[in-house]
Amino acid sequence: MTARAAAHAHTSHNHRACIDDALATARELCATRGVQLTPLREKVLHIVWRSHKPMGAYEVLDELARSHKAARPPTVYRALDFLMAEGLIHKIESLNAYLGCIEAGAPHSGQFLICQKCGATEEIVDPKLETALEAAARRAHFQPVRKVVEISGLCARCGK
Amino acid sequence: MTARAAAHAHTSHNHRACIDDALATARELCATRGVQLTPLREKVLHIVWRSHKPMGAYEVLDELARSHKAARPPTVYRALDFLMAEGLIHKIESLNAYLGCIEAGAPHSGQFLICQKCGATEEIVDPKLETALEAAARRAHFQPVRKVVEISGLCARCGK
DNA sequence: GCTCTTGTTGTTATGTTGTACCATCCGCAT
DNA sequence: ATGCGGATGGTACAACATAACAACAAGAGC
Ligand SMILES: [Zn+2]
Ligand SMILES: [Zn+2]
Ligand SMILES: [Zn+2]
Ligand SMILES: [Zn+2]
């Protein structure tokens, strides 16, 4: 398990390591796949990774525009679409926001614990939950393609 | 199990029975709770129940406006908010759309199988999946409040 | 009857999220 | 040099959702 994956979103940790790890992994993956992690896309990935709270596209845009005057909505959405296609970020559907993936390279839809109080969102990888999802679909003769699992509530720290 | 709950979204069935059942259940529940299922709200519920495909708020608005000239976005969103609060419909987060609940009266967040080809969306009630969600949250010391589960893919009919 | 309160609906305007479409630029292969 | 495909620039607009205040209707208490 990487330092990044070991860190929990709601706990204090060396977040610089999260970012560095995420960017390094992204560069490796894109190089291997022969796709371009351009400076613009890397910048957007960096912005999304600034926290463990899902970030809205227009928040990303505001941040990006500070150093990139030409930034417009399509600029951001194209970068986000690329990063999602490469499995480097996830979209949190219930928030219309985006979050860095902690398991980039391993194709998955993502399972999330979203704290309603502090906003911190932790991506979990739970094989039993995955199995239960597959079983539920199978029971209905349904072929799953994308599985959205977003649990909102109170994180360990806020729920005390 | 009611006739409504027994019907699968992707199969042909007597859909009038779905609607009648849903409206009757809604009237009972609201009467019991002492909340007002007004003609407007009932009309919106009826519109949402016209199919087993999640319906966007503006689609509902277009339909509603045919018989209710004063209808505006807030008209529809207020009715949808009421119906959600009473557990009569669900919002499908990954589609920004709304769907009638097949188990109104039993508080739950809903679990959905969304066909990407035909659009039919089936609400399932899977205790094992529910257990797995609870367990995953517990493992992270997370207190779940709302659980969004939306599996997109191909339904039994379209996946053949 | 009156009026206070609460809940519902009417109405206008605006905020937020996401795309369509075409132009331009750049690296690379022919 | 020419053409091609991928990436970005830039304008406009579509789709989804809410804020804020006015109007109205029904029941409770006087
Ligand atoms: Zn971190
Ligand atoms: Zn992930
Ligand atoms: Zn039906
Ligand atoms: Zn339901």
Side-chain angles (χ1 to χ4, degrees):
Chain A
M1 192 177 251
T2 65
R4 188 175 72 253
H8 288 223
H10 61 280
T11 62
S12 67
H13 63 283
N14 177 8
H15 187 57
R16 186 170 305 274
C18 288
I19 298 175
D20 292 345
D21 195 358
L23 293 183
T25 301
R27 281 186 284 257
E28 287 169 28
L29 275 175
C30 290
T32 301
R33 293 171 181 170
V35 297
Q36 304 178 49
L37 185 63
T38 62
L40 178 60
R41 290 165 173 174
E42 185 169 331
K43 177 70 179 172
V44 168
L45 181 59
H46 192 277
I47 290 171
V48 169
W49 262 105
R50 286 205 177 157
S51 78
H52 289 277
K53 301 181 187 181
M55 203 165 183
Y58 279 69
E59 283 181 84
V60 174
L61 175 55
D62 288 345
E63 191 59 37
L64 179 62
R66 298 165 70 90
S67 63
H68 189 92
K69 298 293 186 184
R72 298 285 182 279
T75 315
V76 167
Y77 279 103
R78 283 190 295 232
L80 292 173
D81 287 346
F82 170 85
L83 295 170
M84 280 193 289
E86 297 302 324
L88 300 171
I89 63 173
H90 294 287
K91 179 175 186 183
I92 307 299
E93 296 288 354
S94 57
L95 298 176
N96 293 321
Y98 305 82
L99 185 68
C101 174
I102 61 161
E103 292 287 338
H108 60 281
S109 296
Q111 306 163 351
F112 304 93
L113 303 175
I114 307 166
C115 182
Q116 293 171 331
K117 190 168 176 190
C118 73
T121 296
E122 182 178 355
E123 179 175 359
I124 59 177
V125 178
D126 188 318
K128 288 185 182 174
L129 179 48
E130 186 67 25
T131 300
L133 291 164
E134 291 283 353
R138 175 176 303 274
R139 214 165 288 138
H141 306 290
F142 189 93
Q143 295 177 24
V145 174
R146 183 183 177 216
K147 308 186 197 77
V148 173
V149 176
E150 300 174 8
I151 304 177
S152 298
L154 294 175
C155 73
R157 190 170 295 271
C158 293
K160 286 250 174 270
Chain B
M1 188 177 252
T2 66
R4 188 175 73 251
H8 288 223
H10 62 278
T11 61
S12 66
H13 63 282
N14 178 8
H15 186 56
R16 187 170 304 274
C18 289
I19 298 175
D20 292 346
D21 195 359
L23 293 183
T25 301
R27 281 187 282 256
E28 286 171 27
L29 275 176
C30 290
T32 299
R33 293 170 181 171
V35 297
Q36 303 178 48
L37 185 63
T38 61
L40 178 60
R41 290 165 173 173
E42 185 168 331
K43 177 70 180 173
V44 168
L45 180 59
H46 192 278
I47 290 170
V48 169
W49 262 106
R50 285 206 178 155
S51 78
H52 289 277
K53 300 181 187 181
M55 204 167 182
Y58 279 69
E59 282 181 86
V60 174
L61 175 56
D62 288 345
E63 192 59 37
L64 179 63
R66 299 167 70 90
S67 63
H68 189 91
K69 296 293 185 183
R72 298 285 182 279
T75 314
V76 167
Y77 280 103
R78 284 191 293 231
L80 292 173
D81 287 347
F82 170 85
L83 296 170
M84 279 193 287
E86 297 303 323
L88 300 171
I89 64 173
H90 294 286
K91 180 175 184 182
I92 307 300
E93 295 288 354
S94 58
L95 297 176
N96 293 320
Y98 304 82
L99 185 67
C101 172
I102 60 160
E103 292 289 336
H108 61 282
S109 296
Q111 306 163 352
F112 304 93
L113 303 176
I114 306 164
C115 182
Q116 292 171 332
K117 189 166 177 191
C118 73
T121 296
E122 181 176 358
E123 179 175 359
I124 60 177
V125 178
D126 189 316
K128 288 185 181 174
L129 179 48
E130 187 66 25
T131 300
L133 291 163
E134 290 284 352
R138 175 177 302 274
R139 215 165 287 140
H141 305 291
F142 189 94
Q143 295 176 23
V145 174
R146 184 184 177 215
K147 310 185 194 77
V148 173
V149 176
E150 300 173 7
I151 305 177
S152 298
L154 294 176
C155 74
R157 191 170 295 271
C158 294
K160 286 245 174 277

